[in-house]
Amino acid sequence: MRGSNQSGLRAYNQRLVLSLVYTHGSLAKTDIARMTGLSAQTGSVIMRELEAEALIVKGEPVRGKVGQPSVPMSINPDGAFFIGLKVGRRSAELILVNFLGEVKASLRKSYPWPTPPLIISFVRDGLEQLIQSLPEKLRDRVAGLGIATPFQLWDWTEQAGAPRAEMDLWRSCDLKAELAAFCDMPVYLENDATAACAAELLFGEHPGLSDFLYFYIGTFIGGGVVLNGSVYSGRTGNAGALGPLPVAGADGKPVQLIERASIMVLERMLRAAGQDPSPLWNSPDQWQGFDSLAEEWVAIVARGLAQAIVSSASVIDFEHVIIDGGVPAGIRDRIVEATLAEISTFDLRGLDVPTLLPGTVGHLARALGAASLPLFDKFLIDRNARLGTA
């Protein structure tokens, strides 16, 4: 990425500098000049402006070299805050994060199915609570609200076990506009699985990955595509919508991936066994009391994922595949291991199998991805297209 020394592009240069500092953790002015091609004077001016706006902070001088000591600059965690809303088929989450994506406050609501009035009420009541949790001097630094939600919720009424009339309310609901009507901040909207993919890219613990396919196992399953270091959302924002991908069902006939690799499948198994499935949504980090069914479910999920991964790798030569979801970390790791074993049973001639990695964000991925929408739009540069629109 290259900067420009023209004063008219100051805002772009500020974003460029912030993006580099965000990616590398901390950088000195000389590093910025070298990476961007900006003159030393222009780089210094931009760094001073960002420091004056409290978006970056000085570190301790690094001595021991010839000349003046180097002063690293890093992101100020309190420089900006963002709110993320995840609308799920069984629960909603509202989180407040700082500039580094660290969760400062959160609210969660479970339900049998979502309706517009329920979600709007949840946000209306929760927004003020989250903002008030900040020290007063920081409350005006909340920069936006991002929404991560499944698109066309009404299409999944039968699978969600919800009344048709209530889910049809989503057809005429512009959730972004409804929330913007009472939110004193910009509002953004993105597909929930694409947002989760963005959270893994921006906040995850696999640094340096520039091309990967991402699966998020929730009530249903979705995903995302990362190319050249940026989330590719596609023409309609639905790229990587892996749920409808055809795979073999239990009888060998084609079904959608959501029928094989979703928490909904385990919910059905629990209900059929006379067990309460509510822990799936109420305690996503810790499932207890149904180990044998969970193990059976992991095997079903792995078979579906393996077929989806092999099919996807034949279209785009992904270097990595990341698997995450609203499941306990131990369950996620078993899914990754079982999926790799299933892939080994395929005829892989002509294919390079991607490296499978466990996701690192977990059940908060969709809410964190939602919070990243205003972060990208206001402060950073995405090398492809920015996620969401204000």
Side-chain angles (χ1 to χ4, degrees), residues 151 190-198 212-215 222-227 230-244 316 318 387:
F151 288 168
E190 184 58 90
N191 173 269
D192 61 334
T194 303
C197 182
F212 62 83
L213 181 65
Y214 175 85
F215 290 89
V225 174
V226 171
L227 299 174
S230 295
V231 175
Y232 176 73
S233 55
R235 177 177 57 86
T236 64
N238 220 24
L242 299 163
I316 296 179
F318 290 106
L387 292 170

Side-chain angles (χ1 to χ4, degrees), residues 262-388:
S262 300
I263 298 177
M264 171 191 67
V265 176
L266 179 55
E267 178 185 25
R268 290 173 180 168
M269 294 166 65
L270 289 169
R271 291 189 188 280
Q275 294 185 249
D276 178 15
S278 62
L280 297 175
W281 325 115
N282 296 333
S283 52
D285 287 330
Q286 187 175 17
W287 292 350
Q288 291 183 338
F290 42 83
D291 289 350
S292 61
L293 282 178
E295 195 64 34
E296 181 182 347
W297 175 74
V298 165
I300 295 170
V301 171
R303 284 192 289 273
L305 286 179
Q307 187 170 345
I309 290 167
V310 172
S311 298
S312 300
S314 69
V315 178
I316 296 179
D317 187 20
F318 290 106
E319 186 177 2
H320 301 90
V321 170
I322 295 180
I323 300 172
D324 206 353
V327 302
I331 295 286
R332 178 202 60 210
D333 293 345
R334 280 153 59 190
I335 290 173
V336 172
E337 182 179 345
T339 301
L340 188 58
E342 287 287 340
I343 288 175
S344 69
T345 67
F346 283 72
D347 182 348
L348 300 172
R349 287 175 294 179
L351 288 178
D352 287 328
V353 178
T355 301
L356 268 60
L357 298 171
T360 60
V361 182
H363 78 272
L364 283 179
R366 290 167 292 180
L368 272 173
S372 77
L373 300 178
L375 192 161
F376 267 114
D377 188 67
K378 288 183 169 294
F379 297 105
L380 302 183
I381 290 174
D382 188 353
R383 281 177 288 183
N384 286 340
R386 290 200 306 273
L387 292 170

Side-chain angles (χ1 to χ4, degrees), residues 73-364:
M73 308 294 288
S74 58
I75 296 294
N76 176 13
D78 291 340
F81 295 87
F82 312 93
I83 293 175
L85 168 68
K86 178 219 77 174
V87 179
R89 295 171 179 83
R90 291 290 186 262
S91 65
E93 289 169 322
L94 198 61
I95 65 171
L96 173 72
V97 305
N98 66 12
F99 211 166
L100 296 178
E102 298 164 337
V103 179
K104 310 305 293 183
S106 64
L107 298 169
R108 180 180 177 85
K109 185 174 185 64
S110 296
Y111 39 68
W113 55 81
T115 63
L118 186 153
I119 298 300
I120 292 168
S121 176
F122 173 60
V123 175
R124 190 188 297 274
D125 294 341
L127 268 182
E128 187 65 20
Q129 186 176 338
L130 293 185
I131 294 172
Q132 291 297 319
S133 70
L134 288 171
E136 187 173 357
K137 64 181 181 179
L138 298 178
R139 291 173 190 167
D140 63 353
R141 288 186 168 268
V142 179
L145 165 67
I147 307 166
T149 180
F151 288 168
Q152 299 179 333
L153 268 166
W154 58 87
D155 279 346
W156 310 103
T157 298
E158 181 180 346
Q159 290 89 341
R164 167 60 65 183
E166 296 203 24
M167 293 300 285
D168 275 350
L169 295 174
W170 288 106
R171 292 181 182 271
S172 59
C173 176
D174 184 340
L175 185 59
K176 177 181 168 184
E178 293 282 355
L179 299 186
F182 62 83
C183 291
D184 188 22
M185 63 185 74
V187 179
Y188 305 76
L189 179 71
E190 184 58 90
N191 173 269
D192 61 334
T194 303
C197 182
E200 182 66 48
L201 177 65
L202 189 60
F203 304 123
E205 298 174 15
H206 296 303
L209 301 189
S210 59
D211 297 273
F212 62 83
L213 181 65
Y214 175 85
F215 290 89
Y216 186 88
I217 303 168
T219 306
F220 291 175
I221 187 168
V225 174
V226 171
L227 299 174
N228 300 319
S230 295
V231 175
Y232 176 73
S233 55
R235 177 177 57 86
T236 64
N238 220 24
L242 299 163
L245 198 152
V247 297
D251 58 0
K253 295 180 180 179
V255 297
Q256 291 190 334
L257 183 61
I258 60 170
E259 297 292 344
R260 303 296 287 166
S262 300
I263 298 177
M264 171 191 67
V265 176
L266 179 55
E267 178 185 25
R268 290 173 180 168
M269 294 166 65
L270 289 169
R271 291 189 188 280
Q275 294 185 249
D276 178 15
S278 62
L280 297 175
W281 325 115
N282 296 333
S283 52
D285 287 330
Q286 187 175 17
W287 292 350
Q288 291 183 338
F290 42 83
D291 289 350
S292 61
L293 282 178
E295 195 64 34
E296 181 182 347
W297 175 74
V298 165
I300 295 170
V301 171
R303 284 192 289 273
L305 286 179
Q307 187 170 345
I309 290 167
V310 172
S311 298
S312 300
S314 69
V315 178
I316 296 179
D317 187 20
F318 290 106
E319 186 177 2
H320 301 90
V321 170
I322 295 180
I323 300 172
D324 206 353
V327 302
I331 295 286
R332 178 202 60 210
D333 293 345
R334 280 153 59 190
I335 290 173
V336 172
E337 182 179 345
T339 301
L340 188 58
E342 287 287 340
I343 288 175
S344 69
T345 67
F346 283 72
D347 182 348
L348 300 172
R349 287 175 294 179
L351 288 178
D352 287 328
V353 178
T355 301
L356 268 60
L357 298 171
T360 60
V361 182
H363 78 272
L364 283 179

